[in-house]
Amino acid sequence: MHVNKKDKVKDFFRKEGFYLVLFLCLCVIATVAIVTTKRNKSLEESNKAQSEFTLNINENETSEVKKQNAERVEENSDNELAQQESDVNVSAGTNTEVVFSNPIDGVVSRGYTYPKPQLMSDGTSRNIRGIDISAAVGSEVKAAAVGEVKEVSSKVEEGNYVVIAHANGLYTKYSNLSNDIKVNVGDRVTEETVIGTVGNSSKIFTNNEFGDHLSIQVQDSYGKDLDPTAYFTFKEE
């Protein structure tokens, strides 16, 4: 009887043990599957978040680059516009109307005769390309209008002189100045700017022969000489 009980117990564990082991194996497999699924899901969410983060960075960078490019284009456009406006202020050939002011007080002591030459006291003939304004040595000479100084130099015939370009495409030239010229090439001037004083620097049209004077010339954008009396309001002697 005792032996039968032992045999029954052995039979039970022999039969039921198989199912127990099978159950434990299934539990292990299920546990591994759950852990693996959670790990994969966590990894997928991490990759998605990283992808969205990278995308946001790229979009931000792209937006910033676009903004910088737009600002750069706008700045270049402003610079080009400012340069164009600057060129219009003093460039030759524009249609801007400019009114000349008399650069000095005085009267016309020698009129415009070009292209007809004038006989000189030494028997030679000279072209008079401008007008002479009677004014004492040392008298201040101002620019005739807003413009830019294009040339400051000296020649035997004209003496010390200054050339100014104006927005209407015209150039004014002031000759027989003293050595005390007060402007330089590239300077912007207005009708209130003193460019120098009357001198006695011309070696041809000297003050001894023509009296103390300032010579004024007007030229168009092609270098053609024009009658200054058409642009100024000087009275004649």
Side-chain angles (χ1 to χ4, degrees):
M1 183 71 177
H2 181 66
V3 173
N4 289 336
K5 288 183 177 180
K6 288 183 177 181
D7 290 337
K8 288 181 179 181
V9 171
K10 290 179 180 180
D11 289 340
F12 173 78
F13 282 108
R14 187 179 299 113
K15 294 179 180 179
E16 300 300 331
F18 169 75
Y19 294 105
L20 180 61
V21 171
L22 180 60
F23 175 74
L24 292 174
C25 289
L26 291 176
C27 289
V28 171
I29 292 172
T31 301
V32 171
I34 292 172
V35 172
T36 301
T37 300
K38 289 183 176 180
R39 183 179 299 171
N40 290 339
K41 185 176 181 181
S42 177
L43 181 61
E44 182 180 353
E45 291 178 351
S46 176
N47 290 337
K48 183 178 179 181
Q50 181 65 29
S51 177
E52 292 177 350
F53 177 73
T54 302
L55 181 60
N56 289 335
I57 290 178
N58 290 338
E59 289 178 349
N60 290 337
E61 289 179 350
T62 301
S63 298
E64 184 64 25
V65 169
K66 289 181 178 179
K67 181 179 179 182
Q68 292 176 355
N69 288 339
E71 291 176 349
R72 192 174 297 113
V73 170
E74 183 178 358
E75 181 181 356
N76 290 338
S77 298
D78 290 342
N79 290 339
E80 290 177 358
L81 179 61
Q83 182 62 39
Q84 291 174 358
E85 291 177 348
S86 175
D87 290 343
V88 169
N89 284 339
V90 295
S91 64
T94 66
N95 293 323
T96 304
E97 183 178 357
V98 175
V99 177
F100 287 154
S101 299
N102 290 352
I104 196 171
D105 292 331
V107 295
V108 177
S109 59
R110 185 178 58 167
Y112 179 77
T113 61
Y114 185 80
K116 182 181 178 180
Q118 178 176 338
L119 183 65
M120 304 293 289
S121 60
D122 60 0
T124 62
S125 296
R126 296 276 183 174
N127 285 322
I128 308 301
R129 297 177 178 273
I131 59 175
D132 287 351
I133 305 301
S134 178
V137 171
S139 300
E140 289 187 342
V141 179
K142 297 181 179 180
V146 173
E148 180 179 334
V149 177
K150 289 297 184 180
E151 189 176 357
V152 177
S153 188
S154 180
K155 293 181 179 179
V156 173
E157 182 174 345
E158 298 163 318
N160 301 324
Y161 67 88
V162 172
V163 177
I164 299 176
H166 305 282
N168 56 358
L170 298 181
Y171 293 81
T172 52
K173 187 174 186 178
Y174 314 81
S175 304
N176 198 39
L177 297 173
S178 68
N179 294 329
D180 186 24
I181 294 178
K182 303 182 182 300
V183 292
N184 298 299
V185 173
D187 286 352
R188 298 298 178 90
V189 297
T190 70
E191 59 273 12
E192 297 299 323
T193 303
V194 176
I195 63 174
T197 58
V198 175
N200 187 24
S201 54
S202 173
K203 305 304 180 184
I204 303 298
F205 304 108
T206 64
N207 290 2
N208 291 335
E209 184 171 356
F210 296 96
D212 293 356
H213 68 278
L214 170 72
S215 292
I216 302 176
Q217 292 175 242
V218 177
Q219 294 181 330
D220 64 14
S221 58
Y222 302 100
K224 178 182 177 181
D225 291 291
L226 305 174
D227 185 354
T229 59
Y231 300 93
F232 297 99
T233 58
F234 292 108
K235 295 181 179 180
E236 297 186 2
E237 287 184 330

